Amino acid sequence: KISKALAKLTAKEKEAIAEIFAKIKTGQIASLDLKKLKGYEDIYRVCFGKWRVIYRTDNKGKVFLVSFERRNDSTYKF
C-alpha cells in the first residue's frame, strides 16, 4: 500500500517526503506539522499537503511507518 502511494507522487513530492522521513528518523520534528493521534500512546501523523504520514515509535526510539496515503475518510482507520 505504501509503495503504491509513493509511486503516484511527482518527483518534487517524493523529494519532500524523503525529507520528512529523514527528519522523523533523526528526531528533527520541530518544523513538521506533527500531532499525536488520540487514543494511541505512540502513533503520530505528519501532514504534507493532502498526504498523511502515520508512524509509531517504540520505547527505544525506533520509528515504524504505519501508513502513507492521501487524506480521505479512512486515513486514520487502521
Side-chain angles (χ1 to χ4, degrees), residues 44-57:
Y44 301 86
R45 69 98 175 116
V46 176
C47 291
F48 169 68
K50 293 181 179 182
W51 292 92
R52 300 297 183 263
V53 176
I54 301 172
Y55 70 95
R56 74 174 193 85
T57 58

Side-chain angles (χ1 to χ4, degrees), residues 3-75:
S3 60
K4 280 186 180 182
L6 288 172
K8 294 179 184 179
L9 296 176
T10 65
K12 197 172 196 178
E13 289 173 324
K14 286 180 185 178
E15 186 176 315
I17 292 299
E19 287 181 32
I20 290 172
F21 289 154
K23 287 180 180 182
I24 291 171
K25 188 174 180 181
T26 60
Q28 300 173 344
I29 56 174
S31 64
L32 299 175
D33 183 7
L34 176 84
K35 286 191 180 177
K36 182 178 166 294
L37 293 182
K38 291 180 182 179
Y40 298 98
E41 291 295 318
D42 59 350
I43 297 182
Y44 301 86
R45 69 98 175 116
V46 176
C47 291
F48 169 68
K50 293 181 179 182
W51 292 92
R52 300 297 183 263
V53 176
I54 301 172
Y55 70 95
R56 74 174 193 85
T57 58
D58 67 1
N59 55 3
K60 296 177 185 174
K62 288 183 114 180
V63 177
F64 300 94
L65 187 61
V66 175
S67 177
F68 172 74
E69 57 189 76
R70 278 195 191 270
R71 172 73 171 102
N72 61 34
D73 292 337
S74 65
T75 300

